[in-house]
Amino acid sequence: MYSLTLVLLGGFSVCLALILICQPPSIYLLRGITNGPLVSHSFEKWESHLLPVNPLPRQHGYFLHITDMHVDENYVSGATVESACHKLAKESDVTSQVAGPLGAPGAKCDSPARLAQETLEWVARNWRDKLDFVVWTGDSARHDYDKSRMRKRKDIYTLNRQVTDMVKKAFWSPHHPVLPVVPCLGNNDVFPHNAIDEKDHDLLSFYEKLWRPWIPTGQRKSFRQGAYFATQVAPHLRVLSVNTLLFFNRNPLIEDCGSKNHPGDVQLAWMEDQLRLARREKAKVYIMGHVPPSARDFRPTCLDNYMATVSQYSDVIMGQFFGHLNMDHFMLYDASQPTNQTFRQTDEDKGGDLHATRDITEYVSWLRDMYSALDPVTSDPNKLPDYPASPLVVLQVAPSVLPIYWPAIRIYRYETNPSASNYGTLLGYAQYHANQASYDAVPGKPLEYQLEYTTDTLYGMPDLSPKSYHALAKRMVMGDAIGNATWTAYIRNMFVQARNNEFS
Ligand SMILES: *[C@@H]1O[C@H](CO)[C@@H](O)[C@H](O)[C@H]1NC(C)=O
Ligand SMILES: *[C@@H]1O[C@H](CO)[C@@H](O)[C@H](O)[C@H]1NC(C)=O
């Protein structure tokens, strides 16, 4: 508890005083009033026993979701894709695809550090001063595509330290106000991949220290027990950073939920406490994590327990953000129905890691079945279906920076007026990608992302509420001409325009 004076410096100095429920005053100076050197950039003084309070009253109404950077320290520009972009091509291989300076789209390679760097720099140049916070859903470290260079624990730590430094640099410069960043663990950020439980003290304390600037002081201890935390990003808005690996069906250290002291259930109990607290304090909540909850990736009882928890707080939870699958899409669950636990794993899926060669048609038809199964379908074909009375749960899944397709990042827009009845509602998002044209334009110039689409202009969505998603899902599976055209546009977006020939 503290009082805080924040001095921001532009051409003229702007002084914002923000008085919070306070104990010894601490002054956080980004720069001295006289344009002097950086006085302090430590968050250590921001003491709070409850939730941290973000001292920056930024209310631009935008935030970034960035995910799956998958940086590879062994990436070599000009390498063959067969070597996972690790070994330089000989002259005799010039006919096959070689690794580009910013990655090898569609190949089984990870990202060069330069791609992550240029992506963050693009966001910093174009968006840093308009964002309120950053949702960063993990998988900063590479895969194990090259069996001759299997990852070691220290490689994962080094890569995460490197990417965290890039993120800090992008959003935390002496010339700009500090932007809150909310990180979480991906299944490739743990060692061995997918495997983590509450007993991995080395890893948990590594990330607790690495992300200390963003983890509220009062939650460091609990973070070290399960890698989850809650943080305040706006006066009445909190983000829960959830460790989805505690529910993940490929985590060999975790069983199905429902057993005594299961770390996933312990986390769910914590989530429920946070959600109850938020409801009592009339705050709204965003949930974020790496692996999106579904029968494909969650253990069955963990999925049921997760849905049972979140569906009781549809008045509080205004959005849920995930990565991991590299595909731009959404999942929609009707919480009054039992969760459909059928997901036919393909051989590619069974391997665990995702890459460009997986069976995407299978996934697309699974998703279409999910939308089709939602109740109710109106009998009048000229009318959009009515919104069901039961709680719907929407999960947003953002595409990756790793160019499985084209690299992508997403900017959300949300309602910031605390007296509006829809405070915290997601109003829409703009999906950006670096497609072939911006990718090829690289030599000597910084990478430029381009707007791919927005949810209001392309899908005609007034907002991203469950009701709007329900209408979109039902329209796409209705089978009429407009529905079919919307479905095609949606699937093309899902693969970031890289597979358009397959979905015409
Ligand atoms: C569950 O999902 C499977 C695979 O997508 C589908 O074939 C089946 O019809 C679904 N069952 C229900 C009850 O919706
Ligand atoms: C829409 O697509 C479905 C399935 O692909 C097809 O059966 C139907 O005829 C299409 N409708 C129109 C109006 O083209």
Side-chain angles (χ1 to χ4, degrees):
M1 306 281 175
Y2 48 88
S3 80
L4 186 87
T5 304
L6 174 72
V7 180
L8 302 175
L9 203 85
F12 296 96
S13 56
V14 180
C15 188
L16 296 168
L18 182 70
I19 308 301
L20 303 162
I21 323 154
C22 314
Q23 247 197 132
S26 77
I27 292 175
Y28 184 81
L29 287 175
L30 289 159
R31 300 198 79 186
I33 311 176
T34 54
N35 221 354
L38 186 65
V39 173
S40 158
H41 58 264
S42 163
F43 287 72
E44 304 292 310
K45 299 190 189 98
W46 300 3
E47 281 287 339
S48 167
H49 297 294
L50 297 166
L51 291 162
V53 175
N54 163 26
L56 295 163
R58 306 160 69 105
Q59 293 287 305
H60 301 297
Y62 296 98
F63 65 93
L64 167 72
H65 183 188
I66 187 165
T67 195
D68 293 79
M69 286 187 255
H70 287 291
V71 169
D72 179 1
E73 74 281 25
N74 301 306
Y75 187 96
V76 175
S77 179
T80 62
V81 300
E82 291 75 20
S83 68
C85 296
H86 289 170
K87 291 200 183 83
L88 269 181
K90 296 192 196 71
E91 282 197 23
S92 53
D93 322 308
V94 287
T95 48
S96 58
Q97 187 190 355
V98 296
L102 290 178
K108 213 170 158 181
C109 291
D110 286 299
S111 308
R114 194 176 147 197
L115 176 63
Q117 180 75 41
E118 295 221 7
T119 298
L120 288 162
E121 283 171 10
W122 183 85
V123 176
R125 278 199 305 282
N126 292 278
W127 281 97
R128 177 165 53 196
D129 299 333
K130 303 179 201 99
L131 298 175
D132 294 332
F133 58 96
V134 175
V135 166
W136 171 25
T137 49
D139 264 8
S140 303
R142 66 175 169 98
H143 295 92
D144 261 338
Y145 290 150
D146 182 349
K147 300 298 168 214
S148 69
R149 295 191 198 185
M150 299 294 278
R151 311 176 328 156
K152 299 188 181 66
R153 184 176 278 262
K154 77 170 173 24
D155 300 328
I156 292 156
Y157 291 171
T158 305
L159 289 168
N160 267 279
R161 199 177 289 118
Q162 185 184 359
V163 177
T164 297
D165 284 348
M166 287 183 202
V167 169
K168 279 185 187 162
K169 198 163 169 232
F171 302 121
W172 186 8
S173 100
H175 306 284
H176 294 271
V178 175
L179 198 54
V181 174
V182 195
C184 72
L185 286 180
N187 60 307
N188 288 295
D189 301 320
V190 298
F191 186 84
H193 74 156
N194 306 335
I196 180 186
D197 65 7
E198 75 287 5
K199 295 181 213 77
D200 194 342
H201 303 300
D202 190 70
L203 184 123
L204 291 164
S205 51
F206 170 79
Y207 284 103
E208 185 265 304
K209 285 198 193 84
L210 184 69
W211 294 336
R212 197 166 267 200
W214 301 311
I215 301 170
T217 317
Q219 294 179 66
R220 287 179 187 162
K221 187 156 165 264
S222 61
F223 184 93
R224 286 198 300 272
Q225 286 155 5
Y228 46 85
F229 67 101
T231 187
Q232 186 118 16
V233 292
H236 309 284
L237 185 61
R238 295 156 192 188
V239 177
L240 305 189
S241 172
V242 171
N243 180 3
T244 50
L245 306 180
L246 302 179
F247 308 123
F248 191 33
N249 58 16
R250 290 186 186 84
N251 182 345
L253 306 178
I254 299 283
E255 294 174 355
D256 204 351
C257 289
S259 62
K260 200 166 173 282
N261 298 332
H262 187 289
D265 290 316
V266 172
Q267 175 171 235
L268 283 169
W270 166 84
M271 278 172 71
E272 182 142 23
D273 285 345
Q274 295 296 324
L275 291 165
R276 206 180 300 116
L277 182 70
R279 179 183 280 157
R280 201 166 58 223
E281 296 175 357
K282 299 198 179 358
K284 301 298 180 188
V285 167
Y286 294 154
I287 291 176
M288 56 159 282
H290 181 68
V291 180
S294 85
R296 181 187 183 283
D297 291 307
F298 272 34
R299 294 198 187 273
T301 310
C302 296
L303 180 60
D304 286 342
N305 292 359
Y306 184 93
M307 288 300 159
T309 304
V310 296
S311 62
Q312 288 167 48
Y313 292 90
S314 51
D315 57 321
V316 175
I317 301 169
M318 297 286 112
Q320 299 199 45
F321 310 94
F322 302 91
H324 181 61
L325 295 174
N326 316 104
M327 297 178 279
D328 169 354
H329 64 296
F330 65 94
M331 296 181 196
L332 190 53
Y333 293 92
D334 178 345
S336 70
Q337 304 292 322
T339 316
N340 186 346
Q341 293 285 2
T342 312
F343 183 85
R344 200 157 63 77
Q345 298 283 354
T346 64
D347 289 344
E348 284 300 336
D349 289 321
K350 280 188 190 121
D353 280 344
L354 295 164
H355 52 78
T357 58
R358 67 186 159 188
D359 184 350
I360 53 179
T361 342
E362 181 74 24
Y363 191 82
V364 166
S365 79
W366 173 80
L367 204 57
R368 193 173 170 109
D369 286 347
M370 171 188 267
Y371 302 157
S372 301
L374 291 167
D375 285 341
V377 180
T378 175
S379 50
D380 178 352
N382 298 318
K383 262 180 63 188
L384 281 178
D386 294 330
Y387 181 58
S390 57
L392 289 171
V393 174
V394 184
L395 311 179
Q396 309 267 353
V397 187
S400 53
V401 171
L402 174 69
I404 297 269
Y405 307 106
W406 294 115
I409 58 105
R410 191 179 274 191
I411 306 281
Y412 281 95
R413 197 158 53 83
Y414 69 105
E415 178 56 60
T416 54
N417 178 358
S419 49
S421 62
N422 65 340
Y423 175 74
T425 297
L426 298 169
L427 299 174
Y429 67 76
Q431 183 61 55
Y432 287 87
H433 69 336
N435 65 8
Q436 186 86 56
S438 36
Y439 224 70
D440 288 345
V442 162
K445 289 229 188 78
L447 178 66
E448 291 293 331
Y449 275 74
Q450 295 176 357
L451 180 64
E452 184 188 357
Y453 69 93
T454 64
T455 45
D456 46 354
T457 53
L458 184 69
Y459 299 138
M461 299 176 82
D463 58 28
L464 303 183
S465 62
K467 183 174 179 168
S468 300
Y469 268 112
H470 182 263
L472 175 64
K474 293 318 269 185
R475 189 198 308 137
M476 290 195 296
V477 297
M478 201 150 36
D480 64 342
I482 294 178
N484 286 3
T486 311
W487 175 255
T488 303
Y490 174 68
I491 297 302
R492 289 174 161 210
N493 294 340
M494 190 161 162
F495 303 104
V496 201
Q497 315 302 326
R499 297 290 193 100
N500 287 357
N501 296 338
E502 285 157 69
F503 300 100
S504 48

